[in-house]
Amino acid sequence: MGLSEGQGEEKGGVEENQSQPLPTGRVVGILQRNWRDYVVTFPPRDGSQSQSRNSQRILVVPWDHRIPKIRISTQQADTLQDHRVVVRIDSWEISSLYPNGHSVRVLGRAGELETEVQTILIENCIHVPPFSDAQLREMPPNSPEKPWAMDPDQVAQRRDLRETHLVFSIDPQGCEDVDDTLSVRRIAGGKLLELGVHIADVTHFVREGSLTDLEARSRATTYYLADRRFDMLPAVLSAELCSLLGGVDRYAMSVLWELDSQTLAVTRVWFGRTVIRSSYQLHYELAQALLNGEPVRVPELTALTSEERDAKLAQLTEALETLTHVARHLRAQRDRGGALELEGVEVRAQLDHEKNITALVPRQPLEVHETVAECMIYANHWVALKIQETFPHQTLLRCHPQPRDEFFSQLVESAMAGGFSIDTRTNKALADSLDRAVDPQDPLVNRLLRMMATAAMSEALYFSTGLLSQDQFYHYGLALDRYTHFTSPIRRYADIIVHRLLAAAIAAAEGEEPGKSLAGHKELDEMAQHINNKNRAAKRAQKLSTELFQNLFFKERDPQTDPHCVADAIIYAIRDNGVLAFVPEYGLKAPVYLKNREGQVISVGPDGGCDWQSGSVRRSSDHISTTSTCGSSTFRLFAHITVRISVRSNHFHADSLNLEIISNKPHSSAEPEKPRPQGRSQLVQEVVRLAEEASQQAQEEAARRPRVSREEREYRQSKSPNLYSLLEEVRELALLDLETAAAAAAQVCATTA
């Protein structure tokens, strides 16, 4: 089936022709009905709808295009024109094409922001009412008149890190629910490094079986939309008592590793409840600026004298540098095991104080993002090992199955057409081939291939260890044999379950009995399936919310005159009557049609401008050609084109964005994409290669020199290059392109040699 007007990227219109017919079947019976609330829109009155004096039978159109029209009876058909309404299905007669239902409530006029947001929530079965008075009464008191304070008995039972550890958080700017903090310090006279991950101790406040716990279990996650969020826990916990804010005492659940300062091998690991005080609440951009050596203002240091500020800033910067050094080592370990460096499309809608959208801002990757992520992955992995070892048949883990080969077809075909070979036999083979698939002239090519690899991935899922064999525990994307979620209990119920399991495992190691009997594997599996379902709903809602704001951004703009509506795009797939294109500026992926319903095709003029002419289309593996009376035009894979972005409005369903090609040349005002940080594996390989060359050169020079004393020889050997010292000296190189990094690393190696 080829592309057809009005069909989106995930619809049948973008799929390739099937070489073999798909299996078919027929429904022979209904075992269970899965009816839910549906959002519908009343159609414009055309006189064909049946009506009477007291009631009108109306066929309303569901927002979800997969659902057939629903017949309802109402006396308010005229009043509800252009409104979104929630309906429920009552019956569906076997002789009717349409089910019968009744209206429940009116959401509002179609197209209005609040109406569309509520539609997204209802269509994804997300029900997030305000927390009840009974639930809020379970919360500890915390007010200006009666502020919350730690219990001395509780503090005495915990390991107190407030005076011994420099603890800090790194989160997005404006983050209120701070789940995690970090620490790193040198111990044992510098022979060891102690890495710490400290997570909010939510289970201290949320007792199992309480009303708050039952509500959190029902929600399963915090729902993040483009302009708002719906918390899993009441704000007094999520934004206050559990949030690891700077400068206040908090309960935490910590993991502390002692690492050899040279090899970074783990010599000891400790799990337990702690008391912490975060010294700095950093955001990503500020932390990255500190790592880059840029002059920045750290809010916590503004009141200090210049001398005190410089001393504390140096201490914080050293901790960040050490943390980055450790994180690079952790990533290199996973790289060797086959961890994948994938790419997603993350776009943030920038809003003003009245929630008007002012810009679409793609997420800018920073090395500090990966530093924090590596530490969290490390903690999740070690906690998974601990709880699964203690409770082998009733532990909540997270697995990521290997994708089926056919899911990689678009990636493999697009890469092959671009002159690259992608090996999908294992995660290691895939990671290595993605690292090699680089176009020196266009960094976007590798980014697109990684996006396609991400789209091909299977879904990572929670599961109970009692229902799967150990060979199914593996996490394909992270290349880890055990993995769970421990680091975000404020916003994920799975992490609350894992915290309770870890507390029980710690108690078991100390010879104590768990306070409550743990859930059996069947009960745990039911909970895992519930959380998986809620996570899918949260992801769909977040995606639809982002698309809603993308549409709102362009809806009020004139595509013919507004420069925001013209952008550079890159072709990443060829289809029968068009191409699929990615717009980096706005993070959009959409079809671009080269043939319309009238049979006209795009014709390219001498200046690159495009026009519709009568003609034909011919598709090849790496390009598509149009032929008209004005000649032939060819559009190749990974070529840059200029597109006009407009909104295709839909009275009944969600609006969608339309891309129209206006030139076969790159957009004139589009800046070439700056080289993104190269994959860690590439940087490590380059540094190792330069280190070996420098070492060999040093040996050759040493062979030509007179013999020296043992002390001199030892001293010289201590200065000869090794991977860890080189990584420490060229830590900034990960933010440079590979060519610049290689040149700088070569200079370092030459100096060291």
Side-chain angles (χ1 to χ4, degrees):
M1 182 185 295
L3 271 164
S4 61
E5 290 280 344
Q7 290 179 306
E9 182 183 339
E10 296 182 357
K11 310 297 189 296
V14 299
E15 297 297 330
E16 301 183 32
N17 292 327
Q18 300 291 335
S19 56
Q20 296 180 351
L22 291 173
T24 59
R26 65 188 181 91
V27 177
V28 296
I30 305 296
L31 297 180
Q32 182 179 358
R33 300 190 186 278
N34 194 27
W35 291 344
R36 57 174 175 83
D37 285 355
Y38 299 93
V39 177
V40 304
T41 307
F42 279 65
R45 293 294 301 276
D46 58 4
S48 62
Q49 301 276 14
S50 63
Q51 56 186 357
S52 67
R53 184 177 184 85
N54 298 322
S55 175
Q56 301 174 24
R57 291 170 60 81
I58 302 292
L59 283 175
V60 292
V61 182
W63 184 87
D64 186 339
H65 60 84
R66 299 170 300 178
I67 307 300
K69 294 178 182 179
I70 301 173
R71 183 184 292 108
I72 67 171
S73 296
T74 180
Q75 300 178 18
Q76 298 179 311
D78 293 331
T79 306
L80 296 178
Q81 294 291 305
D82 301 324
H83 283 68
R84 304 261 196 238
V85 179
V86 180
V87 303
R88 289 177 186 160
I89 294 177
D90 300 318
S91 63
W92 194 340
E93 298 174 5
I94 195 170
S95 59
S96 175
L97 293 175
Y98 307 113
N100 299 310
H102 67 277
S103 60
V104 176
R105 61 189 172 102
V106 179
L107 294 181
R109 190 172 296 277
E112 294 180 352
L113 177 60
E114 288 303 316
T115 301
E116 299 305 320
V117 169
Q118 290 302 313
T119 296
I120 289 171
L121 295 176
I122 292 169
E123 284 293 323
N124 287 284
C125 300
I126 296 174
H127 183 57
V128 280
F131 291 99
S132 69
D133 291 339
Q135 291 162 354
L136 294 177
R137 280 196 294 270
E138 294 181 341
M139 299 297 98
N142 185 43
S143 64
E145 300 78 24
K146 189 178 180 181
W148 174 82
M150 286 189 167
D151 180 355
D153 292 338
Q154 184 66 221
V155 172
Q157 298 173 26
R158 295 169 176 262
R159 183 170 174 178
D160 195 337
L161 309 181
R162 288 175 290 183
E163 302 300 327
T164 57
H165 290 65
L166 176 64
V167 177
F168 53 90
S169 61
I170 309 176
D171 287 287
Q173 203 160 4
C175 179
E176 296 179 356
D177 50 346
V178 182
D179 288 280
D180 54 86
T181 53
L182 297 159
S183 67
V184 63
R185 62 173 186 160
R186 296 188 181 274
I187 57 176
K191 295 180 181 179
L192 298 175
L193 286 177
E194 185 192 65
L195 171 65
V197 171
H198 316 282
I199 308 301
D201 190 359
V202 173
T203 56
H204 171 79
F205 297 96
V206 180
R207 301 298 182 185
E208 188 171 2
S210 65
L211 295 176
T212 306
D213 180 56
L214 295 175
E215 179 64 24
R217 182 187 306 181
S218 174
R219 299 187 183 201
T221 183
T222 291
Y223 299 94
Y224 292 92
L225 304 186
D227 65 331
R228 68 196 73 185
R229 75 170 190 263
F230 298 95
D231 291 326
M232 184 182 75
L233 297 172
V236 68
L237 295 183
S238 63
E240 297 177 29
L241 303 185
C242 289
S243 188
L244 306 181
L245 305 173
V248 294
D249 296 342
R250 290 290 183 260
Y251 295 140
M253 184 74 86
S254 299
V255 186
L256 295 168
W257 298 266
E258 291 181 4
L259 311 173
D260 184 281
S261 60
Q262 294 299 315
T263 65
L264 298 184
V266 177
T267 60
R268 181 173 176 266
V269 60
W270 180 87
F271 304 89
R273 284 193 155 101
T274 56
V275 179
I276 66 167
R277 182 187 300 128
S278 177
S279 298
Y280 302 97
Q281 194 172 340
L282 307 175
H283 58 81
Y284 286 119
E285 291 75 17
L286 176 57
Q288 188 65 61
L290 287 169
L291 282 168
N292 295 347
E294 301 170 10
V296 292
R297 175 182 172 274
V298 179
E300 290 85 351
L301 303 180
T302 53
L304 302 180
T305 65
S306 176
E307 186 176 342
E308 290 175 322
R309 183 166 59 248
D310 290 344
K312 286 190 173 294
L313 196 61
Q315 181 190 32
L316 174 60
T317 303
E318 181 185 2
L320 288 170
E321 290 172 349
T322 305
L323 198 65
T324 302
H325 171 59
V326 172
R328 287 177 181 170
H329 171 77
L330 298 179
R331 176 68 204 211
Q333 281 185 319
R334 293 198 303 108
D335 280 343
R336 287 192 291 271
L340 295 169
E341 180 188 352
L342 300 177
E343 181 79 45
V345 181
E346 294 186 41
V347 181
R348 179 174 57 86
Q350 188 170 296
L351 308 176
D352 62 18
H353 64 283
E354 295 180 352
K355 289 193 175 181
N356 296 315
I357 184 166
T358 59
L360 295 173
V361 184
R363 177 177 180 266
Q364 297 301 317
L366 301 172
E367 186 182 21
V368 72
H369 289 143
E370 297 176 355
T371 296
V372 174
E374 282 303 322
C375 294
M376 297 305 116
I377 290 170
Y378 202 51
N380 288 333
H381 171 58
W382 277 88
V383 168
L385 292 173
K386 175 70 174 179
I387 60 177
Q388 198 265 330
E389 178 186 23
T390 308
F391 308 112
H393 303 299
Q394 53 193 119
T395 288
L396 185 72
L397 296 186
R398 188 164 173 83
C399 67
H400 184 210
Q402 179 170 347
R404 290 160 53 183
D405 289 341
E406 54 265 33
F407 292 173
F408 288 117
S409 58
Q410 178 173 306
L411 168 65
V412 173
E413 291 172 8
S414 295
M416 187 180 301
F420 307 111
S421 175
I422 299 295
D423 186 348
T424 62
R425 288 175 297 176
T426 65
N427 52 0
K428 175 64 173 172
L430 176 59
D432 291 344
S433 56
L434 284 171
D435 284 342
R436 293 190 296 268
V438 176
D439 183 346
Q441 306 302 319
D442 191 354
L444 266 176
V445 172
N446 185 261
R447 185 181 173 192
L448 279 171
L449 292 175
R450 292 185 188 276
M451 285 182 184
M452 289 184 230
T454 303
M457 291 295 108
S458 304
E459 183 182 20
L461 298 169
Y462 298 106
F463 70 98
S464 169
T465 52
L467 294 179
L468 290 181
S469 59
Q470 290 197 13
D471 61 338
Q472 296 176 285
F473 292 4
Y474 188 68
H475 198 293
Y476 175 85
L478 298 177
L480 293 172
D481 59 347
R482 299 291 186 279
Y483 192 69
T484 192
H485 273 164
F486 159 75
T487 54
S488 294
I490 291 178
R491 62 183 181 89
R492 293 188 304 226
Y493 192 76
D495 301 56
I496 290 179
I497 296 174
V498 169
H499 274 237
R500 288 171 179 154
L501 286 166
L502 179 59
I506 294 169
E510 296 173 353
E512 301 176 12
E513 290 294 327
K516 294 186 71 173
S517 59
L518 298 175
H521 62 81
K522 289 186 178 179
E523 181 184 349
L524 193 59
D525 184 65
E526 290 176 0
M527 179 54 59
Q529 299 309 317
H530 167 72
I531 297 174
N532 289 333
N533 291 335
K534 290 296 184 180
N535 281 348
R536 291 189 196 100
K539 289 179 181 178
R540 285 195 301 266
Q542 187 173 23
K543 177 176 180 290
L544 289 169
S545 173
T546 300
E547 292 173 354
L548 169 62
F549 275 84
Q550 287 174 334
N551 290 328
L552 291 174
F553 179 72
F554 291 104
K555 196 165 189 176
E556 301 303 321
R557 303 178 185 275
D558 184 350
Q560 301 299 324
T561 59
D562 195 317
H564 290 91
C565 296
V566 178
D568 187 67
I570 181 171
I571 298 171
Y572 69 90
I574 307 295
R575 291 296 181 260
D576 286 345
N577 57 351
V579 299
L580 299 181
F582 172 63
V583 182
E585 183 178 356
Y586 300 119
L588 305 177
K589 292 195 293 183
V592 177
Y593 300 100
L594 302 181
K595 183 177 182 180
N596 62 20
R597 288 177 174 176
E598 288 72 37
Q600 295 177 316
V601 300
I602 286 291
S603 176
V604 180
D607 61 347
C610 297
D611 193 14
W612 291 102
Q613 301 283 343
S614 297
S616 60
V617 173
R618 183 173 181 179
R619 171 190 172 180
S620 298
S621 60
D622 64 342
H623 69 274
I624 183 171
S625 299
T626 62
T627 303
S628 67
T629 54
C630 298
S632 295
S633 306
T634 300
F635 302 87
R636 296 193 175 277
L637 195 66
F638 302 128
H640 287 255
I641 58 177
T642 301
V643 296
R644 177 178 287 116
I645 306 169
S646 60
V647 176
R648 184 186 290 117
S649 296
N650 193 304
H651 178 74
F652 302 111
H653 313 297
D655 292 342
S656 60
L657 292 177
N658 179 59
L659 300 187
E660 177 188 2
I661 183 170
I662 58 176
S663 173
N664 71 339
K665 297 179 180 179
H667 184 39
S668 56
S669 65
E671 297 181 4
E673 178 166 287
K674 296 178 182 179
R676 297 161 65 82
Q678 295 291 328
R680 272 77 52 200
S681 58
Q682 287 181 268
L683 183 63
V684 169
Q685 291 168 9
E686 186 66 14
V687 171
V688 170
R689 181 183 66 79
L690 292 169
E692 291 174 348
E693 291 177 358
S695 180
Q696 184 178 359
Q697 182 180 357
Q699 291 174 6
E700 292 173 354
E701 290 179 0
R704 294 193 294 269
R705 294 173 185 159
R707 295 179 63 85
V708 295
S709 67
R710 179 174 60 84
E711 290 78 9
E712 291 175 308
R713 192 161 58 247
E714 288 179 353
Y715 174 75
R716 182 163 294 159
Q717 286 174 348
S718 71
K719 294 192 66 178
S720 63
N722 60 70
L723 175 60
Y724 300 104
S725 63
L726 284 168
L727 281 174
E728 183 67 23
E729 292 191 45
V730 299
R731 62 182 176 78
E732 297 90 353
L733 302 186
L735 301 178
L736 305 176
D737 60 277
L738 191 56
E739 211 170 283
T740 307
Q747 184 176 357
V748 172
C749 291
T751 304
T752 310

